[in-house]
Amino acid sequence: MASNGEKQSAATKAPPAPSPLRTSKFCQPNMRILITGGAGFIGSHLVDRLMENEKNEVIVVDNYFTGSKDNLRKWISHPRFELIRHDVTEPLLVEVDQIYHLACPASPIFYKHNPVKFLCIRFFKFESGNGYIDGQIIEAQNALPMILLTSTSEVYGDPLIHPQPETYWGNVNPIGVRSCYDEGKRVAETLMFDYHRQHGIEIRVARIFNTYGPRMNIDDGRVVSNFIAQALRDEPLTVQAPGTQTRSFCYVSDMVDGLIRLMEGEHTGPINLGNPGEFVEPSTPQTGEFTMLELAETVKELINPDVKIVTVENTPDDPRQRKPDITKAKELLGWEPKIKLREGLPLMEEDFRLRLGVPKK
Ligand SMILES: NC(=O)c1ccc[n+]([C@@H]2O[C@H](COP(=O)([O-])OP(=O)(O)OC[C@H]3O[C@@H](n4cnc5c(N)ncnc54)[C@H](O)[C@@H]3O)[C@@H](O)[C@H]2O)c1
Ligand SMILES: O=c1ccn([C@@H]2O[C@H](COP(=O)(O)OP(=O)(O)O[C@H]3OC[C@@H](O)[C@H](O)[C@H]3O)[C@@H](O)[C@H]2O)c(=O)[nH]1
């Protein structure tokens, strides 16, 4: 039995020191960040970059429709990282400071698979008072999180103005087979701005132009991944007719840099992020805008000079030209891409060789 003296000293004893875990860097995140679609191509590179900052805690929500846990392998079981299998068309309560919303099938062959559902994925419905976003995400008791939408150059449709500035309203077919994607993203942009105006929600809208790099789904169906996989498999490169349609390709590390600058900056956007190729010195003329025939020739030259190039049928409403005007990104975010196509393709080739098991000869 304890004596009176012992009881007294127990009563006046200082409370035990808090667990050292509470003061560890892992338990004091300055920023809790949610990335929807973080197991996908761009999302997983964004995770890598955000995890470099020890003050960030990153939560990924993904249903693995086109993404894969493999893309996040190095972070699984990291104390500052969480991965949740979840379909963002169902509500989910999570308390976070920032949301990067990427979840959305992005390749035409995937988004045409279930257009009605995929149109809905692009919608947001916030209820400001209780911090609830129906069909998407979020619970925040105090302040609602800042949310960045990854919109697309597809909002310009088959553009009649070239290159495309953010002020261009676009030329979109509202009832075509691509409409679930481009009209869906247009509505998502509308909702973002209406919630911003009506409820004061802090928003950021990025209009992403064609982005490529390691970790693209090998059978994704988009042009750069198709051509590289075909070149490595010794299959003909399938240029969809007429082959004179153009795209401007941005390497994924540049894109991730742009997205983070947009989130951290003070401008809602919409802001174009893409690679118009303007940074190239006049002495080595090269544009960031390529016809699909030129892209096929470049892949052939760099990866497999023996491969054939064939022309195949195209799908309806394929935009004939696309190149971003990035004046706004340069001025407001101090951002411009650094990696040229000829530098980025070999980095992607390396990753595809590893995954396809095709060593370099
Ligand atoms: N890559 C580009 O060229 C490009 C261009 C413009 C816009 N974007 C946009 O950027 C975002 C990412 O594109 P990406 O190229 O990384 O594509 P991706 O297909 O590799 O990534 C999309 C991710 O979202 C996940 N996802 C899809 N539906 C979901 C759902 N209902 N619930 C939870 N997760 C879901 C997928 O599993 C995948 O991991 C997309 O919103 C896309 O529209 C991409
Ligand atoms: O094997 C192929 C695939 C595609 N193409 C052509 O390559 C061009 C680019 O097609 P992709 O499917 O890669 O990409 P798109 O430009 O049509 O749309 C893309 O850009 C905007 C993003 O929001 C979307 O994620 C993505 O679908 C098109 O003209 C298409 O006809 C080929 O020539 N061969």
Side-chain angles (χ1 to χ4, degrees), residues 164-230:
Q164 296 80 50
E166 292 85 350
T167 45
Y168 179 47
W169 290 354
N171 176 37
V172 175
N173 173 0
I175 56 167
V177 290
R178 288 179 95 89
S179 314
C180 69
Y181 188 76
D182 41 28
E183 291 288 29
K185 291 278 192 184
R186 285 165 70 98
V187 171
E189 287 197 13
T190 307
L191 281 167
M192 292 281 285
F193 277 90
D194 281 340
Y195 280 116
H196 176 63
R197 284 185 287 256
Q198 199 170 328
H199 297 299
I201 288 169
E202 279 248 53
I203 60 159
R204 302 284 182 267
V205 175
R207 289 188 180 151
I208 300 180
F209 284 63
N210 298 61
T211 302
Y212 71 101
R215 298 195 198 141
M216 281 189 95
N217 197 334
I218 286 173
D219 299 308
D220 183 88
R222 282 178 279 185
V223 69
V224 184
S225 46
N226 270 9
F227 284 179
I228 293 187
Q230 287 162 342

Side-chain angles (χ1 to χ4, degrees), residues 37-43 61-68 86-89 101-106 117 121 150-153 181 185 208-211 220 222:
F41 160 53
I42 300 179
V61 168
D62 204 296
N63 68 351
Y64 310 126
F65 180 66
T66 52
S68 159
H86 180 79
D87 184 324
V88 297
T89 56
H101 179 51
L102 285 81
C104 166
K117 172 167 178 172
I121 293 179
T150 50
S151 185
T152 170
S153 52
Y181 188 76
K185 291 278 192 184
I208 300 180
F209 284 63
N210 298 61
T211 302
D220 183 88
R222 282 178 279 185

Side-chain angles (χ1 to χ4, degrees), residues 68-355:
S68 159
K69 260 189 203 170
D70 259 6
N71 291 336
L72 298 168
R73 208 173 342 159
K74 72 173 171 190
W75 300 118
I76 288 170
S77 83
H78 191 288
R80 286 187 287 112
F81 179 76
E82 281 171 62
L83 178 57
I84 304 171
R85 178 195 284 266
H86 180 79
D87 184 324
V88 297
T89 56
E90 300 296 330
L92 174 71
L93 303 184
V94 195
E95 211 171 301
V96 295
D97 303 298
Q98 292 182 341
I99 305 173
Y100 288 86
H101 179 51
L102 285 81
C104 166
S107 161
I109 60 167
F110 285 99
Y111 65 65
K112 287 174 187 167
H113 172 75
N114 187 347
V116 173
K117 172 167 178 172
F118 298 151
L119 179 63
C120 298
I121 293 179
R122 292 163 202 125
F123 279 72
F124 286 87
K125 182 164 173 260
F126 296 70
E127 290 300 334
S128 179
N130 58 7
Y132 172 58
I133 302 175
D134 181 21
Q136 288 290 338
I137 302 286
I138 283 310
E139 163 77 0
Q141 296 300 337
N142 305 315
L144 279 166
M146 189 185 284
I147 181 156
L148 181 150
L149 170 73
T150 50
S151 185
T152 170
S153 52
E154 292 270 316
V155 299
Y156 302 121
D158 187 10
L160 305 176
I161 290 184
H162 193 73
Q164 296 80 50
E166 292 85 350
T167 45
Y168 179 47
W169 290 354
N171 176 37
V172 175
N173 173 0
I175 56 167
V177 290
R178 288 179 95 89
S179 314
C180 69
Y181 188 76
D182 41 28
E183 291 288 29
K185 291 278 192 184
R186 285 165 70 98
V187 171
E189 287 197 13
T190 307
L191 281 167
M192 292 281 285
F193 277 90
D194 281 340
Y195 280 116
H196 176 63
R197 284 185 287 256
Q198 199 170 328
H199 297 299
I201 288 169
E202 279 248 53
I203 60 159
R204 302 284 182 267
V205 175
R207 289 188 180 151
I208 300 180
F209 284 63
N210 298 61
T211 302
Y212 71 101
R215 298 195 198 141
M216 281 189 95
N217 197 334
I218 286 173
D219 299 308
D220 183 88
R222 282 178 279 185
V223 69
V224 184
S225 46
N226 270 9
F227 284 179
I228 293 187
Q230 287 162 342
L232 293 176
R233 288 168 169 154
D234 257 327
E235 293 168 359
L237 310 189
T238 52
V239 173
Q240 293 177 351
T244 49
Q245 68 273 33
T246 67
R247 295 293 188 274
S248 307
F249 297 101
C250 184
Y251 191 68
V252 65
S253 57
D254 283 331
M255 182 54 58
V256 163
D257 184 35
L259 292 173
I260 294 174
R261 279 173 192 247
L262 176 59
M263 179 67 105
E264 300 298 332
E266 287 166 2
H267 305 277
T268 57
I271 292 196
N272 288 340
L273 295 177
N275 187 351
E278 285 157 0
F279 56 92
V280 179
E281 323 75 58
S283 55
T284 53
Q286 189 194 340
T287 169
E289 183 185 7
F290 297 86
T291 69
M292 293 311 102
L293 219 39
E294 283 168 345
L295 176 68
E297 295 288 359
T298 309
V299 169
K300 180 180 161 102
E301 178 200 322
L302 293 177
I303 300 179
N304 182 354
D306 299 325
V307 82
K308 288 197 171 52
I309 297 176
V310 294
T311 303
V312 298
E313 204 183 331
N314 205 339
T315 50
D317 298 331
D318 185 28
R320 282 165 291 182
Q321 54 181 357
R322 197 187 283 155
K323 175 177 168 172
D325 177 334
I326 59 163
T327 311
K328 220 172 147 184
K330 280 186 187 165
E331 285 176 8
L332 300 181
L333 309 178
W335 177 86
E336 63 182 322
K338 299 187 178 73
I339 314 270
K340 297 172 196 164
L341 186 69
R342 282 177 173 275
E343 294 163 348
L345 286 177
L347 303 173
M348 191 167 163
E349 175 194 352
E350 212 176 296
D351 168 63
F352 269 46
R353 280 190 186 281
L354 273 175
R355 287 195 281 152

Side-chain angles (χ1 to χ4, degrees), residues 3-58:
S3 70
N4 271 352
E6 279 171 324
K7 272 188 199 152
Q8 205 172 353
S9 78
T12 54
K13 217 166 111 186
S19 152
L21 271 179
R22 283 185 53 191
T23 52
S24 90
K25 61 188 175 194
F26 296 133
C27 292
Q28 295 191 314
N30 281 359
M31 194 62 78
R32 189 174 297 158
I33 304 169
L34 175 70
I35 305 179
T36 73
F41 160 53
I42 300 179
S44 63
H45 286 277
L46 182 61
V47 171
D48 289 354
R49 188 73 67 84
L50 291 171
M51 285 294 290
E52 280 172 16
N53 182 342
E54 296 202 339
K55 302 217 162 140
N56 289 339
E57 190 176 288
V58 174

